[in-house]
Amino acid sequence: MTQVKFDSSALKQFVHDNELGEMQAMVKAADDELRNGTGAGAAYRDWLHLPSEYDKDEFERIKQAAKKIQSDSDILVVIGIGGSYLGAQMAIDFLHNTFYQAQDAKDRKYPLVIFAGNSLSSTYVHDLLQLIGDKDFSVNVVSKSGTTTEPSIAFRIFKKKLIEKYGLEEANKRIYATTDKAKGALKTEADANGYESFVIPDGVGGRYSVLCPVGLLPIAASGADIDQLMAGAAQAEQDYVDPDLSKNEAYQYAAYRNILYRKGYETELLENYEPNMRMFAEWWKQLAGESEGKDQKGIYPS
């Protein structure tokens, strides 16, 4: 399996080999806290085993829902903000033709997946409504609470369009809610109206949610193979379990960043030269910024 590789050779002028070795004890201690749940944020560690310990029945329901969307919709509007859309859009952009959005339906073969509810731009919403026009469409609304401003406004707009086009009963069959398993405004509405619902696990934070229904439903609806996606992630789960810095490239990257930060290097640039990886950079910025940018500390991702 092809994997992302970490090349630290250009860091030799900034970090000596012995400095990396001196990080081993700290890395081992951090790994122990992570694995044992004794560190900060312990309640949100379920992403560690998402590739292997996920709800298999729900996974099958996701694939069935994706098939339904593919059979009755030209467009899937995914409504969410932050981690509720960045990972999914990253994966869809990466896995499909660079000009996926401009392809004819017959060439694309699967619904066009468009994201909304991540800004308050009235122009964006107006243009998306124009794009939909008379086309058949469905909506996947993604929100733990159902009360976040941007997704809530967008959901009202596109739900109204669904009802005007299909009537209330059929519209409800075209709305897929990804939300809390037991509480929240969206969960209450989904239960009351019979939306097909999928669960955001309690122990998975938004920025790590791409491998739960948050990301899997839109990725599957776009025509990508989520069985293979989870298989690759499960392999990564095994590959990066060893805290030995000589073997674990993920921990090498973290250790080098820590060393450089202590030396005053406080801004990190992520550059890529593939247009269909633009959203990978946007997702990475959220992962790094929200995870580390607390109390005016941490590396600034750019």
Side-chain angles (χ1 to χ4, degrees):
M1 183 181 296
T2 301
Q3 296 176 319
V4 173
K5 294 295 182 183
F6 177 61
D7 181 358
S8 61
S9 58
L11 293 175
K12 298 299 182 183
Q13 59 181 312
F14 303 101
V15 179
H16 299 296
D17 289 340
N18 66 296
E19 292 181 279
L20 184 65
E22 289 167 2
M23 291 292 294
Q24 182 60 71
M26 183 184 293
V27 168
K28 180 62 168 63
D31 182 78
D32 287 343
E33 287 190 354
L34 182 65
R35 305 291 172 186
N36 299 323
T38 56
Y44 294 94
R45 298 179 305 116
D46 286 0
W47 57 269
L48 277 170
H49 303 294
L50 261 182
S52 56
E53 298 177 8
Y54 58 92
D55 186 328
K56 306 303 191 294
D57 291 335
E58 183 175 55
F59 190 80
E60 291 303 315
R61 284 203 303 115
I62 289 170
K63 292 195 288 186
Q64 291 306 311
K67 287 180 181 179
K68 180 180 182 298
I69 293 166
Q70 291 166 357
S71 70
D72 66 16
S73 300
D74 301 307
I75 294 175
L76 172 65
V77 180
V78 180
I79 297 172
I81 193 168
S84 295
Y85 88 98
L86 283 168
Q89 187 169 1
M90 173 275 299
I92 291 169
D93 284 359
F94 180 76
L95 293 170
H96 292 288
N97 186 288
T98 301
F99 300 103
Y100 158 83
Q101 293 193 5
Q103 286 182 306
D104 292 332
K106 63 179 177 62
D107 294 325
R108 193 171 54 246
K109 298 180 182 178
Y110 296 102
L112 179 63
V113 179
I114 298 290
F115 296 85
N118 47 62
S119 77
L120 291 173
S121 170
S122 57
T123 302
Y124 184 94
V125 171
H126 172 270
D127 292 350
L128 178 49
L129 288 169
Q130 277 197 327
L131 176 68
I132 293 172
D134 292 328
K135 299 180 182 72
D136 287 313
F137 76 105
S138 295
V139 168
N140 174 208
V141 56
V142 185
S143 177
K144 188 80 168 176
S145 67
T147 58
T148 307
T149 302
E150 295 89 339
S152 296
I153 292 172
F155 183 41
R156 290 178 189 177
I157 292 169
F158 290 99
K159 179 173 64 174
K160 179 181 177 183
K161 184 171 178 64
L162 278 172
I163 293 170
E164 289 173 349
K165 182 175 178 64
Y166 299 106
L168 181 60
E169 183 177 351
E170 177 61 22
N172 288 344
K173 296 177 182 178
R174 289 175 172 269
I175 297 173
Y176 301 84
T178 306
T179 187
D180 191 88
K181 65 181 179 182
K183 62 183 186 299
L186 181 55
K187 172 61 176 173
T188 300
E189 180 176 343
D191 289 346
N193 292 285
Y195 307 155
E196 182 157 11
S197 299
F198 301 96
V199 174
I200 303 173
D202 290 337
V204 177
R207 75 203 77 149
Y208 302 113
S209 62
V210 68
L211 294 179
C212 77
V214 170
L216 293 177
L217 179 57
I219 292 170
S222 77
D225 187 338
I226 60 172
D227 286 298
Q228 288 297 310
L229 178 66
M230 293 302 275
Q235 183 62 54
E237 180 184 342
Q238 296 178 28
D239 291 344
Y240 298 116
V241 73
D242 191 335
D244 186 337
L245 275 172
S246 68
K247 301 175 182 177
N248 192 323
E249 291 185 332
Y251 278 152
Q252 287 175 26
Y253 172 53
Y256 275 115
R257 293 174 84 250
N258 187 286
I259 294 168
L260 290 167
Y261 179 64
R262 293 191 207 180
K263 293 185 176 186
Y265 297 96
E266 298 181 351
T267 301
E268 182 175 15
L269 304 181
L270 176 64
E271 298 181 10
N272 68 66
Y273 303 95
E274 286 291 341
N276 63 354
M277 290 187 69
R278 179 181 67 86
M279 290 307 299
F280 176 81
E282 295 302 310
W283 184 47
W284 171 83
K285 283 194 293 186
Q286 193 216 17
L287 283 167
E290 279 203 54
S291 297
E292 298 182 334
K294 312 296 184 186
D295 303 319
Q296 286 73 53
K297 297 179 180 179
I299 297 173
Y300 182 81
S302 179

